Amino acid sequence: MRPTMRRSIEPRRRWAAALGITALVVTGGGLLGGPAQAAATASVAVDFPTHCIPPPIAGIPPIDGTTTAQITVDDATPQVGDTVAVTYTVVVPAASNPVDLALPADIMTPTGKVTLGGAQSGDVTVAGPKKNPPVPGKGAFPSFSMTGTFTVTAPGAITLSPGDYNIHTSYIMELDTPCTVTGPPAPVSETVVATGGGQANERAVQLSAASGQAGDEVTVTGTKFTPGAGITVAGRDGDAQTGDTTTATADGSGAFTARLAVSDPDTTGIVAYEGGAWDAEKGAGPLAYTVTGGGEIPDGSQQLTTTVRAGTLSMTQAGDSVQLSGVDFGRGGASTGDLRTVTVEDFRGGPAGWSLTGKVTDFKGPGGARISAEALGWTPSCATKPGSPSTCAAGSAGSVGSAGATLASTPDGAATGGEFTVDAGLSLDVPAFTGAGSYAGVLTLTLT
């Protein structure tokens, strides 16, 4: 048995149609649940109407269905100023796989919002890991959970309701399926009761840039400071203040804007605070800032500069054919072998990770005989070269099939890249009494 590998050069549009299986399809259900009830005191699963917009490439119109979800917290009786961890679990999505093609594992990343009400209002941003089991054709989408945190700012009962959520898929193409709550808010799923009369510090600052040459100005904006208060904006080197300072005055809403010239090479962060000295209860920051150089060059000195050029994402493979072990007519069984090692080089720089996926054709034999593509399974493995910023994760073991599966991937991050070697054990399940002869299929690998 010999599967032949080639790097995919066909237009991806043909496979984009398969990505439509990530679109949501209504599983039915009426409009359940009622308005948020402040009296709720325990976490309960709630049903709420949902309006979902599949990716345009799926060719499916907007869908209206019902989602079942539950909100839980790590502390139901916090103090004002405490940080509460929130978990938003979609128990039953208003969705199922709309086509017969199976979805591979580990391609879905959910994000969403939890709506706060009662003593505190606003939204809590939550996100889940890129982790899901394979979804069979026409099968139901699995449950998934997302987590986030919020700071308690006022005493009293704070209600938590499920909000909008989105399913992002990374499989050949990047696609989103947003689902919004119809007639928000959704029913209350959890209530926390906060105590304490103190006021949480909600002061916040933002920078127009995270780095600059010595002497460059950075714009610093602040919110939720005391209206009319004098504000000091300063550079920081760990716990010490540097010589970079300026002042501003908060307006009637507690906001301010200041321009800080950063010249001290020791400045590694920027803070803003009320009063004559730094006070964590009346300040915000530090936000990281890097002085990259600049200023006057002393006499007798030479300024040296260089450039690091961004590269590409590429892969090579140690061969283009694999000879699987033979099996006996009448007995069938596992025809095994090893994938030719694939080397991935991510020299792009930046925040993007990558995904290596594979799909296989039916194995064609003599006289039109075939062995189904679904009969080929693999057990992936992946190794990261020491010093690489990213860490490679192997895909899940299981069937490859014509729909494909993830062989290996790295996540998005602040700084990504590196060198990786990817391998897999292959096993073709040959049915008993398959016609004698040679069979061949093509395994196509795609790096995105």
Side-chain angles (χ1 to χ4, degrees):
M1 308 296 171
R2 190 184 67 188
T4 301
M5 299 183 296
R6 66 167 185 266
R7 199 172 166 185
S8 178
I9 57 175
E10 63 180 325
R12 293 181 182 169
R13 181 171 300 174
R14 181 165 71 92
W15 276 96
L19 299 177
I21 58 183
T22 65
L24 300 185
V25 172
V26 174
T27 57
L31 306 185
L32 303 180
Q37 299 296 320
T41 58
S43 174
V44 295
V46 296
D47 297 316
F48 56 94
T50 312
H51 179 74
C52 300
I53 303 177
I57 199 170
I60 301 174
I63 303 159
D64 293 290
T66 299
T67 296
T68 300
Q70 186 166 7
I71 308 297
T72 57
V73 296
D74 68 337
D75 185 0
T77 56
Q79 296 286 321
V80 171
D82 286 352
T83 298
V84 177
V86 180
T87 300
Y88 178 175
T89 299
V90 176
V91 181
V92 181
S96 64
N97 186 347
V99 297
D100 292 324
L101 296 175
L103 276 176
D106 307 334
I107 66 166
M108 300 179 183
T109 305
T111 56
K113 299 283 187 181
V114 173
T115 301
L116 302 180
Q120 186 170 337
S121 61
D123 290 321
V124 181
T125 299
V126 291
K130 185 179 180 181
K131 189 71 175 178
N132 63 273
V135 181
K138 295 297 179 69
F141 277 118
S143 171
F144 55 85
S145 294
M146 305 166 283
T147 59
T149 62
F150 75 96
T151 299
V152 179
T153 60
I158 305 171
T159 61
L160 293 86
S161 301
D164 302 342
Y165 62 90
N166 178 71
I167 297 177
H168 179 80
T169 57
S170 300
Y171 181 52
I172 311 300
M173 294 179 66
E174 305 292 322
L175 296 176
D176 289 291
T177 302
C179 293
T180 57
V181 179
T182 303
V188 171
S189 176
E190 174 72 293
T191 299
V192 301
V193 179
T195 57
Q199 180 63 43
N201 181 9
E202 296 183 88
R203 296 169 181 84
V205 290
Q206 288 187 321
L207 307 180
S208 61
S211 64
Q213 292 190 337
D216 285 356
E217 288 188 337
V218 58
T219 299
V220 183
T221 56
T223 57
K224 296 192 176 181
F225 284 73
T226 303
I231 308 297
T232 298
V233 179
R236 299 277 288 186
D237 176 17
D239 294 331
Q241 186 164 305
T242 68
D244 300 322
T245 62
T246 190
T247 59
T249 301
D251 63 18
S253 68
F256 74 86
T257 299
R259 294 183 64 83
L260 176 67
V262 183
S263 301
D264 193 325
D266 291 332
T267 293
T268 59
I270 294 175
V271 298
Y273 56 88
E274 301 174 20
W278 166 254
D279 182 350
E281 296 298 321
K282 294 185 177 181
L287 295 184
Y289 187 87
T290 302
V291 180
T292 59
E296 295 297 326
I297 302 173
D299 292 341
S301 300
Q302 299 181 27
Q303 180 175 336
L304 307 179
T305 61
T306 188
T307 300
V308 177
R309 293 185 296 270
T312 61
L313 176 66
S314 63
M315 75 174 184
T316 57
Q317 52 192 34
D320 61 1
S321 63
V322 176
Q323 182 65 53
L324 301 179
S325 62
V327 297
D328 295 331
F329 174 77
R331 297 186 181 277
S335 175
T336 61
D338 293 313
L339 183 75
R340 295 286 188 175
T341 297
V342 178
T343 301
V344 176
E345 294 182 339
D346 184 3
F347 295 158
R348 297 169 296 173
W354 53 264
S355 179
L356 179 61
T357 60
K359 60 182 180 180
V360 68
T361 65
D362 288 345
F363 287 70
K364 297 180 181 179
R370 289 175 179 260
I371 301 174
S372 171
E374 310 306 317
L376 180 69
W378 64 16
T379 304
S381 61
C382 187
T384 302
K385 183 177 180 179
S388 298
S390 297
T391 300
C392 182
S396 299
S399 174
V400 181
S402 58
T406 299
L407 179 58
S409 65
T410 63
D412 295 344
T416 62
E419 297 182 62
F420 315 89
T421 54
V422 184
D423 294 283
L426 304 175
S427 180
L428 182 67
D429 185 12
V430 180
F433 300 104
T434 297
S438 177
Y439 291 76
V442 176
L443 175 64
T444 300
L445 302 178
T446 302
L447 179 66
T448 56

